[in-house]
Amino acid sequence: MTRLAIAVLISGRGSNLQTLLDACATPGFPARIALVISNIAGAAGLERAERAGIPIAVVSHKAFTSREAFDAELKRRIDATGAQLVCLAGFMRLLSTGFVTAFHNRMINIHPSLLPAFPGLHTHERVLAAGVRFTGCTVHFVRAETDAGPIIVQAAVPVLAADTPETLGARVLASEHACYPQAVRWIAEGRVVVDGDRVTVRGAIGAAQALVNPPVETT
Ligand code: GRF
């Protein structure tokens, strides 16, 4: 079996990277991580990759005079590995249009909200302030606009009355860890079809039930 080679871009903790490392270490998983790149030298995720024996690279954005030059170096490193898919996993740099176009439908991101609601930073604080009853996470193909692009999979996560940004964030993160490896698997299996703004996952069965929060009380 030829496994899909992927490059993972991180800036920090790397818990989503860890779920991808773990998935790729599972026998039969159809993808492998060819390279992990961080723009931050001390990112904790780099140690996770090293522990798993995966090549790492630090490409500091500070070493470049323009976003385009930084992105060109990222692309050069990714292309040198033969990676066919780029996974953004807590990568905290905006990417130039040229880079996004070069990886059109070959670059995915995970975001801790139900996009298109709450793009950007500090999602959990804003979710709590808005009083919505559900939030979640989204894995999507990357487009030039931040946190936008065809959606592959989402998890709906209930917001509880006593939640703080931390408790809610932890619940959402657990859902991220379930969704990201699944999205990579689907892509590696060749089951993901992008048609304009919409994605079809061939052979996937849609969830049948509505979630209600707070739950409907039966008397
Ligand atoms: C995650 O919440 C992800 O959705 C967002 O950045 C965070 C990265 O966390 N894009 P980690 O580094 O994967 O632990």
Side-chain angles (χ1 to χ4, degrees):
M1 176 185 73
T2 315
R3 294 188 294 163
L4 182 75
I6 65 181
V8 185
L9 272 53
I10 64 164
S11 297
R13 169 178 66 178
S15 70
N16 279 291
L17 164 65
Q18 187 68 57
T19 64
L20 296 178
L21 289 166
D22 293 346
C24 290
T26 309
F29 194 78
R32 65 179 178 89
I33 301 179
L35 179 64
V36 172
I37 303 179
S38 172
N39 65 312
I40 306 287
L46 289 171
E47 283 170 35
R48 298 176 188 269
E50 280 186 315
R51 270 201 299 275
I54 303 297
I56 61 166
V58 175
V59 182
S60 172
H61 55 282
K62 293 183 181 161
F64 298 85
T65 51
S66 70
R67 193 179 296 285
E68 285 70 23
F70 171 64
D71 288 0
E73 178 62 10
L74 291 180
K75 183 172 185 310
R76 195 185 66 73
R77 302 267 191 146
I78 294 164
D79 288 346
T81 69
Q84 291 301 305
L85 179 71
V86 176
C87 298
L88 305 181
F91 185 66
M92 301 303 286
R93 300 297 302 171
L94 296 176
L95 295 163
S96 60
T97 307
F99 186 87
V100 172
T101 305
F103 291 102
H104 188 75
N105 291 348
R106 293 197 300 128
M107 177 157 57
I108 61 176
N109 179 46
I110 185 151
H111 182 78
S113 77
L114 287 175
L115 292 174
F118 305 104
L121 298 175
H122 309 299
T123 50
H124 308 308
E125 285 85 346
R126 288 186 289 129
V127 159
L128 289 173
V132 295
R133 297 298 199 234
F134 286 101
T135 182
C137 73
T138 303
V139 182
H140 63 97
F141 286 102
V142 174
R143 294 292 183 262
E145 207 177 305
T146 307
D147 297 326
I151 291 168
I152 302 163
V153 59
Q154 293 184 308
V157 174
V159 180
L160 304 182
D163 267 333
T164 63
E166 290 70 33
T167 60
L168 181 57
R171 197 175 310 118
V172 170
L173 192 62
S175 77
E176 295 182 41
H177 295 165
C179 287
Y180 215 4
Q182 175 66 85
V184 170
R185 174 186 274 279
W186 280 329
I187 292 169
E189 289 173 344
R191 293 169 58 187
V192 173
V193 182
V194 188
D195 180 12
D197 292 336
R198 298 190 54 174
V199 169
T200 304
V201 181
R202 282 188 296 189
I205 299 158
Q209 274 195 327
L211 297 172
V212 183
N213 181 40
V216 171
E217 295 174 2
T218 47
T219 48

